[in-house]
Amino acid sequence: MNNIFRYTSPLSGIALASDGEALTGLWFDGQKYYPHKLVEESIEAELPIFAQTCKWLDTYFNGKAPDYIPPISMQTTPFRKAVYDILLTIPYGQTMTYGEIARIIAEQQGIERMSAQAVGNAVGHNPISIIIPCHRVVGADGDLTGYAGGLDKKKTLLQLEKYSI
């Protein structure tokens, strides 16, 4: 059974999910791919992982870069895991393009090229928003494109990190 905890951010409510040990999900209320059934069937709980994640979020929403990542666990494909691992390397206040991520994946897999659209699909399905910083991924020309939580939230998160938009 999954455990759930509600966090109130300056942008909207956030649902946190855990298997009891690690964070398995973090979604803005109403975001695209929000797992309504999972949230409805989960048990509300106060767990150490939720306290640790709330501390991380409090630090983040106070305009500071947290100095740790709470334990995370995801049930996902190897391709998506590779994309999320790259997202975790994007420094606070900086961005990377879908194409740059695609080039890294292609290099890791020893193939000539990888589709930026495939990367975009993986980024869009990120189950642990903010902590796995999918909001730091931008279009080839630096434009803000796609964000499951909404472009308004993506812009606000980047501004919070003092990224020039």
Side-chain angles (χ1 to χ4, degrees), residues 3-5 43-51:
N3 300 285
I4 203 82
F5 186 83
I43 296 171
E44 291 240 2
E46 290 191 25
L47 301 170
I49 186 61
F50 291 145

Side-chain angles (χ1 to χ4, degrees), residues 35-115:
H36 294 281
K37 187 174 181 177
L38 172 95
V39 172
E40 290 167 6
E41 294 176 355
S42 295
I43 296 171
E44 291 240 2
E46 290 191 25
L47 301 170
I49 186 61
F50 291 145
Q52 194 175 14
T53 303
C54 289
K55 182 179 174 192
W56 190 101
L57 290 167
D58 289 345
T59 300
Y60 181 83
F61 284 114
N62 280 313
K64 298 180 182 108
D67 60 0
Y68 67 95
I69 293 182
I72 58 177
S73 176
M74 295 176 286
Q75 300 294 318
T76 191
T77 67
F79 173 74
R80 286 184 179 176
K81 172 101 172 61
V83 170
Y84 303 149
D85 286 345
I86 293 168
L87 296 182
L88 286 166
T89 70
I90 305 171
Y92 182 91
Q94 296 181 35
T95 61
M96 185 178 279
T97 68
Y98 296 97
E100 288 171 322
I101 296 169
R103 283 190 289 284
I104 293 168
I105 296 282
E107 184 177 301
Q108 288 175 346
Q109 295 183 357
I111 58 178
E112 189 174 316
R113 101 181 261 290
M114 170 57 62
S115 163

Side-chain angles (χ1 to χ4, degrees), residues 117-164:
Q117 288 81 9
V119 167
N121 184 274
V123 170
H125 285 84
N126 174 13
I128 303 177
S129 296
I130 307 172
I131 293 174
I132 298 177
C134 52
H135 61 280
R136 295 182 189 148
V137 183
V138 297
D141 56 4
D143 283 348
L144 301 187
T145 59
Y147 185 62
L151 284 178
D152 57 330
K153 286 183 181 71
K154 181 173 189 166
K155 182 177 181 181
T156 301
L157 293 172
L158 289 171
Q159 288 171 332
L160 184 69
E161 295 181 18
K162 302 189 181 31
Y163 177 78
S164 297

